[in-house]
Each structure stands twice: as C-alpha cells, then as structure tokens.
Amino acid sequence: MKATTIINYRFLLLLVALITFASLACSLPQAILRAEPTPLPISSEAITEMQENIGDAAKAFEETGQVNLQITEVQITSYLVNELSKQENPFIQNPQILLRDGEIQMTADYQQGELVLPLKASISVEADDAGKLAYELTSASIGPLALPQALIDQMLGQFQQMFENNMSSQLDRVFIETISIADGTMTIEGRSR
C-alpha cells in the first residue's frame, strides 16, 4: 500500500508539473512578442523646439566656445515627416525615429509602386578622431529580408546628406567630442575648432 501511495503521489506531482508547464507554454508567445510601441506624436511645435535648441546651442557656442545640443526622437521624427511631406513621391512613409541604446533606430513603410513593406534600420553615430560625425548602418531590412549592401550604402548616403544639409553649417566650426544616444535623446557635445 505504501508503494501505491508513492506512485499516486508521483503521478499527481507529474500531472501538476505538466499543467504548470503547459500553461507557461501557452503564455510564452505573448511574453516573447513585444507590443508595438506607441507612435511618436508629430507636431510643428517639436520642429520649432528643435530649431530653438539648435539656435540656443549656437548662441552658447559663440559666447563660450562649447556646445551642448540635445535633440529628442519626437523632434527628429517630426522634422523627417515634414521633410518627406515636401517630396512628391517619397519612398518611405510613416517614419518613426527612436534614439535608443546608442543607435538611431528607424522604422517606416517602404513603398515601391503598390507594394508596401516594413522598413527597419539602425545607424550608429560616433565622433571620429577629426571631431566629425561618423555613421555606420548596423542593420537594415525590408520585410523579412536584409538589404543588399548597395541599398545600405545608398540609404546611408541619403541620411548623411540630409543631416549635413541641415546641420553641417552649424557644426563646421565645432570639434565634436562626444555624441550619446539613449532614452529618446541624442546629445552632441563639443568645443571650438
């Protein structure tokens, strides 16, 4: 009788363990799949705020020879949406720029004719030895496919051109010491050349 009790006890324990593991397995996909982030708000006020930040940083630079510029992901996303609205047929729509984990992370809808696919790209930015910004596209994909190197180079070139057309005139006289990207903010610090 004692052996039967032990077998029943083990069977009951095994049954409880199986039910527990089964319930965990059913909820595992929900834990793995992250909820889509809330889209960043787009506003002309954010663009004005960014332009004011750049103006304030330029004024402080003239007075002290030091620069500390902060740009938020809402500001840069609003600016990009505004720039895309000026184009006749932009190849990306609904962009979102996240400034996280040391990278500029972009998501958008890539449109080629009637075909619309999700685009994801991550760009790392750092200050090089010459005090300039150096960019590297660390990952890029359209839908489930990684982008070919030629398209990566083209995207990086367009990103650099956009940034330099709008920011390089302010940064030509600045030796950039550090750039940090975290928690939704990009901070550029530097001094006079």
Side-chain angles (χ1 to χ4, degrees):
M1 172 130 171
K2 197 172 190 182
T4 313
T5 306
I6 292 174
I7 291 173
N8 286 341
Y9 179 74
R10 286 184 181 167
F11 177 76
L12 185 61
L13 186 59
L14 179 63
L15 185 62
V16 169
L18 285 175
I19 291 171
T20 303
F21 287 130
S23 75
L24 286 174
C26 289
S27 64
L28 187 60
Q30 295 171 349
I32 292 173
L33 295 175
R34 295 181 183 168
E36 287 293 318
T38 304
L40 297 170
I42 308 302
S43 70
S44 57
E45 292 83 15
I47 298 169
T48 302
E49 203 175 88
M50 182 175 84
Q51 292 168 337
E52 288 172 355
N53 288 354
I54 293 169
D56 291 346
K59 183 178 177 184
F61 177 72
E62 293 299 325
E63 294 172 0
T64 66
Q66 300 289 315
V67 68
N68 184 325
L69 174 62
Q70 292 188 339
I71 299 172
T72 68
E73 55 195 19
V74 171
Q75 293 168 345
I76 200 166
T77 298
S78 295
Y79 177 79
L80 181 58
V81 168
N82 185 56
E83 289 298 304
L84 289 172
S85 72
K86 298 175 186 176
Q87 296 179 10
E88 191 171 320
N89 291 315
F91 69 95
I92 63 168
Q93 298 174 352
N94 306 318
Q96 295 282 294
I97 306 293
L98 301 177
L99 303 172
R100 314 272 169 92
D101 305 321
E103 292 184 326
I104 299 170
Q105 302 168 358
M106 181 180 81
T107 60
D109 295 328
Y110 175 81
Q111 184 167 1
Q112 186 68 32
E114 296 295 316
L115 182 65
V116 178
L117 294 170
L119 168 71
K120 292 183 179 183
S122 295
I123 300 170
S124 67
V125 185
E126 60 183 28
D128 65 15
D129 293 338
K132 299 274 187 186
L133 294 178
Y135 311 93
E136 180 184 354
L137 193 61
T138 55
S139 68
S141 64
I142 293 179
L145 305 173
L147 286 179
Q149 190 61 43
L151 285 176
I152 289 175
D153 293 343
Q154 181 182 3
M155 281 182 61
L156 190 55
Q158 289 175 348
F159 175 80
Q160 274 183 294
Q161 184 177 10
M162 182 190 78
F163 189 82
E164 290 171 1
N165 286 345
N166 295 290
M167 298 286 289
S168 67
S169 61
Q170 283 89 0
L171 295 177
D172 279 344
R173 301 179 314 157
V174 177
F175 184 93
I176 298 170
E177 296 174 322
T178 62
I179 181 166
S180 61
I181 300 172
D183 302 324
T185 303
M186 175 170 55
T187 303
I188 300 172
E189 294 179 329
R191 57 178 166 75
S192 181
R193 285 194 177 273

